[in-house]
Amino acid sequence: MNMTERVTWIRSHVPMGIIALQAGWLTFYWRTIVDMIRFRSTSNRNPATRSLFGEGVSRDLIIVVDTETVALNSTASGDLALLTGLLEQDGVSTLRYADGGPPSGAPRQDKEFFGSAAIGWIQVTPDEPGDVLRTHGVVWSDGTNLNEGALAGDTVPAIAVQLAQRRGHETSFESTPDAVLVAAADAVGADILISERRGVAGLDSQFARGLTVSTVADAIALIGLFLRSRGNYLEALAKGITIKASRTAFFEHSSALFLPHSEEVTDLVRAVSVERNESAIRDLAAASLRRMGRSLQRRDEVWRLASQVPNADVAEDMSSALEAMLAALMGAVDATSRLIHVLYGLPGQLHTSGWQKKQWQKDLRQSTPTIWSAVFEPASHPASIDVLRLLRNTVHAEGLSAVDVRTSGRVVATWFLLPLADGETIVRQAEMVAPLRAWGIFRSSDGSYAADPAVLSDRLIPAIFRMLAAVQEVLAGDLRDGIPEVPVRQSPRLGGPAIASSHLKLIGMTPRSTV
């Protein structure tokens, strides 16, 4: 049975018109769609626990590092060096775990009546055989508090079975050490377990519902998202060096990473604006860049909401963030078309410009065929514009209806139904860019479509940015020929490939997720 046959929308009486979707199999596809992943939220308790985002939430992010596969030390480089720096940020609490327990020389905290524990480490000890209520004791210390816990009798065996099934050709007994790791991380209340053990990352277990098990690369993006929610807009970290920005600057710099000619175009357009005494030229270019940054900022909101326990409030906030993201992205596209209209002196009034308008396309092809070719010859560019346009136009009509995604009777995510009138067109155009699964779009047995807003954002934004980057490349060449005396500015804030790579990893949009 293929994916299409296995999806059904179950319309039910849910507050605010939310629709329920039974889709326990969906978690197998989430991880393959996009590099960014969600924080898992515990929703089987009332009130919900472990939430990191939302009103009144200000606790630390708790991380467990599997030292068997993730070596954090002063000589680390690449992703490990970046991760090491992130773990030292305010608001991040870290515990380490090793199968054999803490190293013998680790500093310890002693507490009368409660025993002793290695500071910054988790220590797991097996109980006496025959205890049906628990299998292991757990002790950990952050240097101030010494804590004790236990692993319930069926937790480790159940997780071991799940790991064995994920790996294939392995017994649950062989998976037991890894299951202890996962169970211990959950027992200490960790939000993230960072491990590179085979088949562990991405584990979705009902026995560790509040724990996100991730690789180093995934953890960097998750920590970056968390820190930005606390006002810490890190762009890069290195030994003794921390590069931060204001919120607005961070997202403008983020968009510039996808637009290699953006600063050159900005300088050239400014020169043309002065030469022609037309401030509108400069303002249109600036508006396009600002809106690109805003779309990434709204994308951050979507991901934070996707990491909260789903409910009616989250669905409403998600709808608002998604609409704002679409409006900002469409605004960048429209401002760019108007900039081209003015710069190249296309016929007609300014309001007649627009990449989707047939007459303007004809005028553009006649006036500046290089720009037309850059946008319309790769079929993926106009297709991306159509997807954006049709989704954005829902704000003028009934909007996007929320969908509850359920597994085992538990709501695990909020998605949105594509508009019935344009769903087929959106899907057809989206498939010209990437497979539907890569967009987070799924089809039901009744022919309707639903989309994961977080995954959709991470597919749509880079697709539109690629189109705008193609326009800017041609524009930079044309303007440079006309105004050769304007020097090409090398931006110190991007600081070369290393900082750019770090920045992209922190926002969870590495080159792999833009393909």
Side-chain angles (χ1 to χ4, degrees):
M1 182 177 292
N2 61 34
M3 273 201 315
T4 301
E5 294 169 336
R6 296 181 70 178
V7 181
T8 56
W9 313 135
I10 301 176
R11 300 179 181 273
S12 59
H13 299 287
V14 184
M16 298 183 65
I18 297 175
I19 300 168
L21 164 64
Q22 298 290 341
W25 52 272
L26 290 176
T27 51
F28 294 104
Y29 294 101
W30 280 351
R31 186 61 195 99
T32 64
I33 291 170
V34 70
D35 290 332
M36 186 74 182
I37 65 172
R38 291 166 172 75
F39 282 97
R40 300 183 68 226
S41 300
T42 301
S43 58
N44 61 331
R45 302 170 188 167
N46 190 16
T49 59
R50 295 197 182 179
S51 177
L52 280 168
F53 309 109
E55 296 179 5
V57 178
S58 59
R59 68 173 180 82
D60 283 2
L61 173 68
I62 303 172
I63 297 175
V64 170
V65 177
D66 171 22
T67 62
E68 300 287 341
T69 58
V70 180
L72 299 178
N73 53 59
S74 58
T75 62
S77 60
D79 284 0
L80 286 177
L82 178 55
L83 176 62
T84 301
L86 291 173
L87 296 180
E88 296 171 354
Q89 298 298 304
D90 290 341
V92 179
S93 298
T94 307
L95 292 168
R96 289 166 169 77
Y97 178 94
D99 288 342
S104 58
R108 303 187 70 84
Q109 178 184 8
D110 299 310
K111 194 170 183 181
E112 191 176 3
F113 306 120
F114 288 93
S116 175
I119 297 173
W121 286 83
I122 300 172
Q123 184 166 353
V124 178
T125 55
D127 286 353
E128 292 295 327
D131 192 330
V132 296
L133 295 180
R134 46 179 277 171
T135 58
H136 299 76
V138 183
V139 180
W140 68 100
S141 169
D142 59 8
T144 302
N145 300 302
L146 190 153
N147 305 278
E148 288 186 296
L151 306 184
D154 57 352
T155 300
V156 171
I159 295 175
V161 169
Q162 291 177 317
L163 289 173
Q165 291 173 343
R166 284 168 62 87
R167 293 163 170 169
H169 308 294
E170 183 172 319
T171 66
S172 59
F173 176 79
E174 293 172 299
S175 297
T176 296
D178 300 340
V180 172
L181 162 67
V182 173
D186 185 65
V188 303
D191 300 295
I192 304 174
L193 165 61
I194 306 175
S195 177
E196 297 287 347
R197 302 192 193 201
R198 184 173 64 89
V200 171
L203 177 68
D204 182 5
S205 174
Q206 62 179 324
F207 295 94
R209 283 183 173 171
L211 180 67
T212 303
V213 189
S214 75
T215 62
V216 170
D218 290 329
I220 288 171
L222 290 170
I223 299 169
L225 180 67
F226 168 79
L227 291 175
R228 290 193 297 277
S229 76
R230 301 299 192 264
N232 186 350
Y233 293 91
L234 282 170
E235 294 190 336
L237 286 168
K239 296 175 183 177
I241 300 174
T242 300
I243 300 176
K244 294 185 179 182
S246 67
R247 183 185 65 222
T248 299
F250 176 88
F251 289 110
E252 287 184 356
H253 297 175
S254 299
S255 61
L257 293 172
F258 294 88
L259 304 161
H261 296 280
S262 63
E263 294 200 338
E264 183 182 7
V265 167
T266 297
D267 291 343
L268 291 167
V269 165
R270 187 180 294 115
V272 172
S273 178
V274 172
E275 184 181 77
R276 295 189 188 179
N277 194 26
E278 289 185 67
S279 60
I281 297 175
R282 177 198 63 214
D283 294 343
L284 283 169
S288 179
L289 289 173
R290 282 198 309 271
R291 289 164 184 168
M292 292 180 214
R294 288 173 190 166
S295 71
L296 288 172
Q297 186 177 346
R298 299 287 88 79
R299 174 257 184 190
D300 249 24
E301 291 181 20
V302 170
W303 273 106
R304 286 197 295 268
L305 288 161
S307 297
Q308 293 185 42
V309 177
N311 56 38
D313 289 339
V314 169
E316 177 62 21
D317 291 344
M318 183 86 77
S319 176
S320 177
L322 184 60
E323 287 182 353
M325 185 274 289
L326 293 170
L329 204 55
M330 195 72 229
V333 170
D334 288 343
T336 301
S337 69
R338 291 191 172 208
L339 175 65
I340 298 301
H341 186 96
V342 174
L343 280 173
Y344 290 92
L346 269 66
Q349 298 296 314
L350 189 59
H351 70 268
T352 64
S353 64
W355 305 104
Q356 72 278 18
K357 296 181 179 180
K358 299 301 182 183
Q359 183 57 51
W360 192 78
Q361 291 177 19
K362 294 179 181 178
D363 295 338
L364 178 68
R365 190 171 190 177
Q366 291 176 353
S367 300
T368 173
T370 51
I371 293 284
W372 183 93
S373 296
V375 174
F376 293 101
E377 285 189 348
S380 60
H381 290 343
S384 299
I385 295 172
D386 277 345
V387 172
L388 171 60
R389 175 179 61 85
L390 293 171
L391 288 173
R392 188 262 181 186
N393 284 349
T394 60
V395 302
H396 301 302
E398 70 278 8
L400 297 171
S401 299
V403 174
D404 274 349
V405 181
R406 297 177 181 270
T407 177
S408 302
R410 190 165 55 94
V411 179
V412 296
T414 298
W415 289 7
F416 291 92
L417 288 176
L418 299 186
L420 291 176
D422 298 314
E424 291 290 346
T425 303
I426 292 173
V427 165
R428 185 168 59 252
Q429 296 299 88
E431 286 184 312
M432 296 182 70
V433 181
L436 285 187
R437 282 187 299 179
W439 285 90
I441 297 175
F442 298 89
R443 185 179 186 273
S444 78
S445 56
D446 68 1
S448 61
Y449 294 90
D452 179 331
V455 177
L456 179 70
S457 298
D458 275 16
R459 186 61 52 186
L460 182 58
I461 290 174
I464 294 298
F465 280 11
R466 283 196 297 273
M467 184 276 290
L468 295 173
V471 172
Q472 288 190 352
E473 182 177 10
V474 176
L475 185 58
D478 288 351
L479 293 179
R480 199 185 307 118
D481 291 341
I483 313 178
E485 68 274 14
V486 176
V488 176
R489 174 163 46 122
Q490 297 297 325
S491 171
R493 69 172 177 254
L494 297 185
I499 291 177
S501 174
S502 173
H503 191 131
L504 286 169
K505 290 171 183 175
L506 284 164
I507 62 174
M509 297 181 76
T510 65
R512 286 182 300 155
S513 65
T514 63
V515 174

mmCIF file of all heavy atoms in Angstrom, residues 29-52:
data_model
loop_
_atom_site.group_PDB
_atom_site.id
_atom_site.type_symbol
_atom_site.label_atom_id
_atom_site.label_comp_id
_atom_site.label_asym_id
_atom_site.label_seq_id
_atom_site.Cartn_x
_atom_site.Cartn_y
_atom_site.Cartn_z
ATOM 1 N N TYR A 29 8.252 9.455 7.857
ATOM 2 C CA TYR A 29 8.564 10.308 6.718
ATOM 3 C C TYR A 29 9.090 11.674 7.140
ATOM 4 O O TYR A 29 9.800 12.315 6.391
ATOM 5 C CB TYR A 29 7.320 10.494 5.841
ATOM 6 C CG TYR A 29 6.897 9.210 5.204
ATOM 7 C CD1 TYR A 29 5.832 8.475 5.714
ATOM 8 C CD2 TYR A 29 7.582 8.697 4.106
ATOM 9 C CE1 TYR A 29 5.449 7.281 5.143
ATOM 10 C CE2 TYR A 29 7.202 7.497 3.529
ATOM 11 C CZ TYR A 29 6.135 6.795 4.050
ATOM 12 O OH TYR A 29 5.767 5.625 3.490
ATOM 13 N N TRP A 30 8.726 12.140 8.344
ATOM 14 C CA TRP A 30 9.141 13.480 8.743
ATOM 15 C C TRP A 30 10.642 13.683 8.621
ATOM 16 O O TRP A 30 11.115 14.669 8.124
ATOM 17 C CB TRP A 30 8.700 13.745 10.181
ATOM 18 C CG TRP A 30 7.279 14.127 10.301
ATOM 19 C CD1 TRP A 30 6.412 14.419 9.292
ATOM 20 C CD2 TRP A 30 6.532 14.244 11.505
ATOM 21 N NE1 TRP A 30 5.182 14.715 9.797
ATOM 22 C CE2 TRP A 30 5.224 14.614 11.158
ATOM 23 C CE3 TRP A 30 6.846 14.074 12.854
ATOM 24 C CZ2 TRP A 30 4.235 14.830 12.088
ATOM 25 C CZ3 TRP A 30 5.858 14.291 13.789
ATOM 26 C CH2 TRP A 30 4.560 14.664 13.410
ATOM 27 N N ARG A 31 11.420 12.698 9.094
ATOM 28 C CA ARG A 31 12.857 12.903 9.137
ATOM 29 C C ARG A 31 13.483 12.922 7.743
ATOM 30 O O ARG A 31 14.541 13.519 7.534
ATOM 31 C CB ARG A 31 13.506 11.799 9.989
ATOM 32 C CG ARG A 31 14.994 12.011 10.208
ATOM 33 C CD ARG A 31 15.242 13.337 10.941
ATOM 34 N NE ARG A 31 16.641 13.726 10.854
ATOM 35 C CZ ARG A 31 17.100 14.607 9.999
ATOM 36 N NH1 ARG A 31 16.312 15.170 9.122
ATOM 37 N NH2 ARG A 31 18.367 14.935 10.007
ATOM 38 N N THR A 32 12.843 12.274 6.772
ATOM 39 C CA THR A 32 13.430 12.219 5.439
ATOM 40 C C THR A 32 13.081 13.441 4.608
ATOM 41 O O THR A 32 13.638 13.631 3.543
ATOM 42 C CB THR A 32 12.940 10.971 4.686
ATOM 43 O OG1 THR A 32 11.528 11.061 4.478
ATOM 44 C CG2 THR A 32 13.244 9.714 5.473
ATOM 45 N N ILE A 33 12.180 14.267 5.091
ATOM 46 C CA ILE A 33 11.711 15.384 4.288
ATOM 47 C C ILE A 33 12.674 16.565 4.313
ATOM 48 O O ILE A 33 12.971 17.178 3.310
ATOM 49 C CB ILE A 33 10.323 15.842 4.795
ATOM 50 C CG1 ILE A 33 9.282 14.773 4.473
ATOM 51 C CG2 ILE A 33 9.913 17.159 4.168
ATOM 52 C CD1 ILE A 33 7.955 15.023 5.126
ATOM 53 N N VAL A 34 13.202 16.901 5.465
ATOM 54 C CA VAL A 34 13.921 18.156 5.616
ATOM 55 C C VAL A 34 14.952 18.001 6.720
ATOM 56 O O VAL A 34 14.834 17.139 7.585
ATOM 57 C CB VAL A 34 12.917 19.286 5.932
ATOM 58 C CG1 VAL A 34 12.343 19.130 7.324
ATOM 59 C CG2 VAL A 34 13.550 20.670 5.778
ATOM 60 N N ASP A 35 15.999 18.822 6.689
ATOM 61 C CA ASP A 35 17.052 18.703 7.689
ATOM 62 C C ASP A 35 16.583 19.156 9.066
ATOM 63 O O ASP A 35 16.949 18.573 10.079
ATOM 64 C CB ASP A 35 18.269 19.511 7.260
ATOM 65 C CG ASP A 35 18.957 18.872 6.064
ATOM 66 O OD1 ASP A 35 18.860 17.645 5.909
ATOM 67 O OD2 ASP A 35 19.578 19.598 5.300
ATOM 68 N N MET A 36 15.810 20.230 9.119
ATOM 69 C CA MET A 36 15.326 20.715 10.412
ATOM 70 C C MET A 36 14.323 19.709 10.982
ATOM 71 O O MET A 36 13.515 19.141 10.257
ATOM 72 C CB MET A 36 14.637 22.067 10.229
ATOM 73 C CG MET A 36 14.229 22.740 11.518
ATOM 74 S SD MET A 36 15.631 23.420 12.409
ATOM 75 C CE MET A 36 14.795 24.068 13.867
ATOM 76 N N ILE A 37 14.400 19.459 12.289
ATOM 77 C CA ILE A 37 13.435 18.564 12.929
ATOM 78 C C ILE A 37 12.770 19.285 14.080
ATOM 79 O O ILE A 37 13.197 20.358 14.507
ATOM 80 C CB ILE A 37 14.103 17.266 13.441
ATOM 81 C CG1 ILE A 37 15.105 17.572 14.561
ATOM 82 C CG2 ILE A 37 14.775 16.514 12.304
ATOM 83 C CD1 ILE A 37 15.656 16.340 15.241
ATOM 84 N N ARG A 38 11.694 18.683 14.613
ATOM 85 C CA ARG A 38 10.945 19.280 15.705
ATOM 86 C C ARG A 38 11.500 18.865 17.062
ATOM 87 O O ARG A 38 12.065 17.804 17.211
ATOM 88 C CB ARG A 38 9.485 18.812 15.667
ATOM 89 C CG ARG A 38 8.675 19.335 14.529
ATOM 90 C CD ARG A 38 7.377 18.532 14.426
ATOM 91 N NE ARG A 38 6.479 19.131 13.466
ATOM 92 C CZ ARG A 38 6.647 19.052 12.159
ATOM 93 N NH1 ARG A 38 7.673 18.389 11.667
ATOM 94 N NH2 ARG A 38 5.800 19.625 11.339
ATOM 95 N N PHE A 39 11.247 19.721 18.040
ATOM 96 C CA PHE A 39 11.298 19.259 19.415
ATOM 97 C C PHE A 39 10.052 18.416 19.648
ATOM 98 O O PHE A 39 8.950 18.781 19.228
ATOM 99 C CB PHE A 39 11.262 20.439 20.389
ATOM 100 C CG PHE A 39 12.555 21.165 20.537
ATOM 101 C CD1 PHE A 39 12.817 22.319 19.818
ATOM 102 C CD2 PHE A 39 13.521 20.706 21.414
ATOM 103 C CE1 PHE A 39 14.000 23.010 19.963
ATOM 104 C CE2 PHE A 39 14.720 21.390 21.570
ATOM 105 C CZ PHE A 39 14.961 22.537 20.847
ATOM 106 N N ARG A 40 10.212 17.298 20.313
ATOM 107 C CA ARG A 40 9.046 16.496 20.677
ATOM 108 C C ARG A 40 8.471 17.046 21.975
ATOM 109 O O ARG A 40 9.208 17.413 22.882
ATOM 110 C CB ARG A 40 9.427 15.026 20.822
ATOM 111 C CG ARG A 40 9.993 14.433 19.543
ATOM 112 C CD ARG A 40 10.297 12.963 19.701
ATOM 113 N NE ARG A 40 9.069 12.195 19.854
ATOM 114 C CZ ARG A 40 8.890 11.254 20.770
ATOM 115 N NH1 ARG A 40 9.826 10.999 21.650
ATOM 116 N NH2 ARG A 40 7.773 10.584 20.831
ATOM 117 N N SER A 41 7.163 17.090 22.066
ATOM 118 C CA SER A 41 6.489 17.637 23.243
ATOM 119 C C SER A 41 5.680 16.556 23.924
ATOM 120 O O SER A 41 5.072 15.708 23.268
ATOM 121 C CB SER A 41 5.567 18.792 22.850
ATOM 122 O OG SER A 41 6.300 19.826 22.234
ATOM 123 N N THR A 42 5.651 16.590 25.247
ATOM 124 C CA THR A 42 4.853 15.636 26.002
ATOM 125 C C THR A 42 3.426 16.153 26.107
ATOM 126 O O THR A 42 3.187 17.230 26.628
ATOM 127 C CB THR A 42 5.435 15.441 27.415
ATOM 128 O OG1 THR A 42 6.765 14.976 27.285
ATOM 129 C CG2 THR A 42 4.629 14.433 28.197
ATOM 130 N N SER A 43 2.465 15.370 25.603
ATOM 131 C CA SER A 43 1.073 15.822 25.623
ATOM 132 C C SER A 43 0.161 14.831 26.330
ATOM 133 O O SER A 43 -1.055 14.929 26.239
ATOM 134 C CB SER A 43 0.575 16.031 24.189
ATOM 135 O OG SER A 43 0.698 14.843 23.439
ATOM 136 N N ASN A 44 0.737 13.862 27.031
ATOM 137 C CA ASN A 44 -0.106 12.880 27.700
ATOM 138 C C ASN A 44 -0.362 13.244 29.155
ATOM 139 O O ASN A 44 -0.850 12.454 29.930
ATOM 140 C CB ASN A 44 0.544 11.487 27.634
ATOM 141 C CG ASN A 44 1.906 11.450 28.320
ATOM 142 O OD1 ASN A 44 2.592 12.456 28.364
ATOM 143 N ND2 ASN A 44 2.276 10.290 28.832
ATOM 144 N N ARG A 45 0.012 14.449 29.522
ATOM 145 C CA ARG A 45 -0.231 14.921 30.872
ATOM 146 C C ARG A 45 -0.971 16.237 30.822
ATOM 147 O O ARG A 45 -0.903 16.966 29.846
ATOM 148 C CB ARG A 45 1.094 15.106 31.627
ATOM 149 C CG ARG A 45 1.931 13.835 31.703
ATOM 150 C CD ARG A 45 3.309 14.147 32.236
ATOM 151 N NE ARG A 45 4.188 12.987 32.140
ATOM 152 C CZ ARG A 45 5.509 13.054 32.299
ATOM 153 N NH1 ARG A 45 6.071 14.203 32.561
ATOM 154 N NH2 ARG A 45 6.238 11.957 32.203
ATOM 155 N N ASN A 46 -1.655 16.546 31.900
ATOM 156 C CA ASN A 46 -2.398 17.803 31.958
ATOM 157 C C ASN A 46 -2.060 18.501 33.270
ATOM 158 O O ASN A 46 -2.364 17.977 34.333
ATOM 159 C CB ASN A 46 -3.902 17.533 31.874
ATOM 160 C CG ASN A 46 -4.689 18.825 31.691
ATOM 161 O OD1 ASN A 46 -4.110 19.837 31.339
ATOM 162 N ND2 ASN A 46 -5.973 18.777 31.956
ATOM 163 N N PRO A 47 -1.390 19.658 33.272
ATOM 164 C CA PRO A 47 -1.001 20.397 32.070
ATOM 165 C C PRO A 47 0.190 19.748 31.366
ATOM 166 O O PRO A 47 0.889 18.938 31.965
ATOM 167 C CB PRO A 47 -0.625 21.781 32.615
ATOM 168 C CG PRO A 47 -0.135 21.499 34.001
ATOM 169 C CD PRO A 47 -1.012 20.371 34.510
ATOM 170 N N ALA A 48 0.376 20.111 30.103
ATOM 171 C CA ALA A 48 1.467 19.536 29.327
ATOM 172 C C ALA A 48 2.817 19.905 29.955
ATOM 173 O O ALA A 48 2.985 20.988 30.504
ATOM 174 C CB ALA A 48 1.403 20.052 27.893
ATOM 175 N N THR A 49 3.766 18.995 29.894
ATOM 176 C CA THR A 49 5.086 19.234 30.471
ATOM 177 C C THR A 49 6.140 19.308 29.384
ATOM 178 O O THR A 49 5.918 18.936 28.242
ATOM 179 C CB THR A 49 5.456 18.104 31.447
ATOM 180 O OG1 THR A 49 5.451 16.863 30.724
ATOM 181 C CG2 THR A 49 4.463 18.015 32.577
ATOM 182 N N ARG A 50 7.284 19.802 29.767
ATOM 183 C CA ARG A 50 8.480 19.875 28.930
ATOM 184 C C ARG A 50 8.388 20.876 27.781
ATOM 185 O O ARG A 50 9.276 20.904 26.933
ATOM 186 C CB ARG A 50 8.866 18.496 28.384
ATOM 187 C CG ARG A 50 9.284 17.519 29.474
ATOM 188 C CD ARG A 50 10.044 16.359 28.874
ATOM 189 N NE ARG A 50 10.406 15.393 29.910
ATOM 190 C CZ ARG A 50 11.054 14.281 29.684
ATOM 191 N NH1 ARG A 50 11.405 13.962 28.464
ATOM 192 N NH2 ARG A 50 11.349 13.460 30.663
ATOM 193 N N SER A 51 7.356 21.651 27.700
ATOM 194 C CA SER A 51 7.284 22.635 26.619
ATOM 195 C C SER A 51 8.392 23.666 26.793
ATOM 196 O O SER A 51 8.646 24.152 27.893
ATOM 197 C CB SER A 51 5.923 23.331 26.626
ATOM 198 O OG SER A 51 5.881 24.330 25.634
ATOM 199 N N LEU A 52 9.067 23.988 25.701
ATOM 200 C CA LEU A 52 10.129 24.993 25.733
ATOM 201 C C LEU A 52 9.652 26.346 25.231
ATOM 202 O O LEU A 52 10.293 27.358 25.469
ATOM 203 C CB LEU A 52 11.299 24.534 24.860
ATOM 204 C CG LEU A 52 12.251 23.514 25.474
ATOM 205 C CD1 LEU A 52 13.149 22.949 24.394
ATOM 206 C CD2 LEU A 52 13.085 24.143 26.570
#
